[in-house]
Amino acid sequence: MIITRVDLKLKLYPSEQKMYASVLLTIKKPTPIIDLMINNQLQWLEVKTEVKGEIYRFTPEEKSVPKDHFLKSAKIWLIELPEELQDLDELLLSIRYSGQIESDPWSTNYLTSEGVELGLYVAYYPIINITDRLSFSVVLQGPKGWTWIMNSERLKDCNCEIWVSEEPKIDLYLIGIPEEKAIDQRKPTRFWGYKRNYDKFVDLDSHLQIFYSKLIELLGEPPINNFKLVLVPREKGGMITRQGIIVMQDNIPKNVITEKRDILLLKWIHEMCHFWFNKTSVETYHNWIDEALSDYCALFIAKFEFGEKFYRNQIEEIKTKIRESNDLVPLRDITRQHEKADVLFYKYGSLIFHEISEEIGEESFRLFLLEFSKKSLKAKQIITKDLVNTLAKINKHDWESFLNEKIDRIPVI
């Protein structure tokens, strides 16, 4: 059972920190009991469906949330279908709900008078599986004098805010800020969002374009023609990438930006890489591929801009971090929620690709990256076996045994 489409009509009241929504969910192969996740502070107003002219109304019942539940700020609600609806190939579920938003543990999602940032992590729209890929439409009624961006194209020649994506995506990521506080978009820039700290970042605009062009040379044409790096008014939470946007807090000190410019650019390149590598499930260990490959691709690209010394220093820092990490476990035994996921998925995973690059040589590794990026863009989902198969096409080596050894044991550096 999956949601294949979300058609959302949204009214936002940032000054009151409230929202009202109506949504039509297209659910493929519904099971007799549907588990819906929605934010802890949102309340159901109406849940219904119409089949063959008859209207069925439902009262969701709250279900206990498991400890390893990924969406910490969401509850699970049960909807039981009557017997006559249990063999449908597709169910259209119409829902109205309203309320406030409880932020996620990383404080990356919020609904305030300063700004709005809403996405999957706070379940501001109903969700069945966090891995569902959805086509969607969003019709927004927000306060006057605000500007908005999403991870899809906004309909042009329209007086209201409407976004549509026929291409399935993992999220409906919506950001809004008051126009008076926004970066001027009349001048060409990769940046969008709050202007209060924009002067700190503006000198890096050209570097973004250079690295984006380098990634296209390395990985082929991306599924998007453009992207924006969005500066938002939150204090923490790091970076989030959704197709077409990279979102980050704008409060980085100026001296950090100047003194650690190369490291910041490296992080941005990592996020850009996710435009190509984003098809693994965050609910399985296979997610190491997207994170490690994005991390190492960034380093691989940076080597030719920042020099071999920079590259080797970064590799040694990764090795040191792994050596100094306690209580590491085999990579295969964890998911993204695990406390060691950053070290294992990103850092140790980067070393795996570094070792592959050293083994097959730079030219063959470039061929592998291009081949695997093409596979990732076409695939609905990527697993480690896909990585093995692609490597085998480039270099005749027992890559399955190589990777199994790496992911089945505790890292030894």
Side-chain angles (χ1 to χ4, degrees):
M1 175 176 61
I2 61 173
I3 296 175
T4 58
R5 185 172 179 87
V6 172
D7 291 291
L8 178 64
K9 293 181 179 179
L10 194 61
K11 293 181 181 180
L12 296 181
Y13 306 93
S15 62
E16 301 173 36
Q17 300 185 20
K18 291 182 179 179
M19 63 177 287
Y20 170 85
S22 63
V23 64
L24 183 66
L25 303 181
T26 302
I27 303 174
K28 185 178 180 181
K29 301 289 185 183
T31 55
I33 296 179
I34 300 173
D35 290 1
L36 279 183
M37 292 181 279
I38 201 162
N39 192 270
N40 287 335
Q41 295 192 40
L42 291 174
Q43 306 295 322
W44 304 111
L45 300 176
E46 182 181 53
V47 182
K48 67 180 182 179
T49 189
E50 183 176 345
V51 179
K52 296 180 180 180
E54 185 171 353
I55 295 177
Y56 298 82
R57 300 183 186 276
F58 307 98
T59 301
E61 295 184 11
E62 188 175 347
K63 175 183 176 181
S64 60
V65 177
K67 290 183 179 180
D68 61 351
H69 185 48
F70 187 76
L71 300 183
K72 303 300 183 185
S73 59
K75 292 180 180 179
I76 302 176
W77 298 83
L78 304 182
I79 295 173
E80 186 172 356
L81 298 180
E83 188 174 345
E84 61 268 29
L85 300 183
Q86 293 183 8
D87 292 323
L88 296 174
D89 288 330
E90 186 175 89
L91 176 70
L92 300 180
L93 199 59
S94 178
I95 301 173
R96 292 189 300 112
Y97 57 97
S98 66
Q100 295 184 313
I101 290 293
E102 178 180 316
S103 187
D104 58 284
W106 309 280
S107 301
T108 58
N109 284 233
Y110 45 87
L111 172 57
T112 70
S113 58
E114 286 296 304
V116 172
E117 187 175 353
L118 296 173
L120 171 76
Y121 291 166
V122 287
Y124 80 98
Y125 57 92
I127 295 164
I128 291 180
N129 310 296
I130 63 172
T131 54
D132 286 352
R133 292 184 174 268
L134 324 162
S135 62
F136 63 83
S137 68
V138 175
V139 179
L140 172 65
Q141 180 181 326
K144 291 182 179 180
W146 278 55
T147 182
W148 303 86
I149 193 170
M150 281 198 77
N151 57 324
S152 65
E153 292 294 327
R154 182 181 180 275
L155 290 191
K156 298 177 180 179
D157 303 320
C158 179
N159 292 327
C160 51
E161 305 284 353
I162 301 177
W163 296 267
V164 176
S165 175
E166 298 303 330
E167 176 194 354
K169 298 183 180 181
I170 62 169
D171 203 350
L172 284 65
Y173 211 88
L174 175 66
I175 300 166
I177 57 174
E179 287 180 351
E180 68 205 30
K181 299 180 179 181
I183 297 168
D184 187 353
Q185 294 298 300
R186 291 174 297 181
K187 300 176 182 179
T189 177
R190 283 286 181 190
F191 289 89
W192 190 97
Y194 257 67
K195 66 182 178 183
R196 62 183 183 182
N197 290 318
Y198 175 50
D199 62 316
K200 297 179 184 178
F201 299 93
V202 67
D203 291 340
L204 300 180
D205 212 325
S206 60
H207 292 279
L208 276 173
Q209 183 56 49
I210 289 170
F211 283 116
Y212 188 54
S213 298
K214 293 288 185 183
L215 284 173
I216 292 174
E217 290 178 15
L218 186 67
L219 303 175
E221 288 296 323
I224 55 173
N225 296 321
N226 207 342
F227 78 93
K228 290 289 186 180
L229 200 153
V230 180
L231 301 176
V232 292
R234 53 177 157 86
E235 297 301 313
K236 58 181 181 178
M239 299 185 194
I240 294 174
T241 300
R242 296 293 183 261
Q243 202 168 58
I245 55 176
I246 298 171
V247 188
M248 65 173 287
Q249 65 229 50
D250 71 342
N251 64 344
I252 299 176
K254 177 69 174 179
N255 67 311
V256 172
I257 296 172
T258 54
E259 295 170 14
K260 297 186 177 181
R261 184 206 65 164
D262 294 351
I263 300 301
L264 178 59
L265 287 168
L266 200 63
K267 292 180 182 296
W268 285 348
I269 302 168
H270 170 106
E271 299 301 332
M272 284 189 272
C273 286
H274 280 309
F275 297 153
W276 286 267
F277 305 121
N278 55 34
K279 295 293 180 63
T280 59
S281 169
V282 296
E283 295 183 306
T284 71
Y285 77 92
H286 298 293
N287 188 238
W288 81 272
I289 298 172
D290 282 343
E291 298 304 344
L293 203 47
S294 294
D295 226 44
Y296 185 70
C297 270
L299 200 51
F300 189 76
I301 284 281
K303 174 169 61 173
F304 303 102
E305 296 298 318
F306 303 151
E308 183 74 23
K309 183 179 178 180
F310 174 86
Y311 173 81
R312 293 294 170 185
N313 285 343
Q314 291 302 306
I315 292 296
E316 287 306 312
E317 284 188 19
I318 291 172
K319 290 180 179 179
T320 299
K321 185 170 185 177
I322 294 171
R323 291 191 192 104
E324 293 176 350
S325 296
N326 298 318
D327 302 321
L328 291 182
V329 297
L331 190 155
R332 194 191 294 271
D333 292 351
I334 68 168
T335 66
R336 271 275 289 281
Q337 294 113 294
H338 195 278
E339 61 179 353
K340 300 295 182 180
D342 180 70
V343 174
L344 291 167
F345 280 21
Y346 293 68
K347 304 308 176 188
Y348 180 57
S350 290
L351 286 189
I352 294 174
F353 283 111
H354 168 66
E355 190 171 333
I356 292 171
S357 177
E358 297 279 284
E359 174 69 25
I360 67 179
E362 183 183 304
E363 195 57 40
S364 290
F365 191 74
R366 285 178 178 272
L367 292 174
F368 154 71
L369 287 176
L370 183 59
E371 187 74 20
F372 194 68
S373 68
K374 290 178 181 177
K375 180 188 285 286
S376 295
L377 291 178
K378 292 178 182 178
K380 290 184 177 180
Q381 192 170 72
I382 288 290
I383 60 173
T384 304
K385 184 66 175 177
D386 296 308
L387 179 62
V388 170
N389 292 341
T390 305
L391 283 167
K393 288 177 65 175
I394 304 300
N395 182 281
K396 302 301 180 184
H397 180 77
D398 185 4
W399 294 109
E400 185 168 15
S401 296
F402 171 87
L403 287 171
N404 283 341
E405 183 181 359
K406 297 294 183 185
I407 65 181
D408 283 339
R409 69 178 187 181
I410 297 172
V412 177
I413 304 300

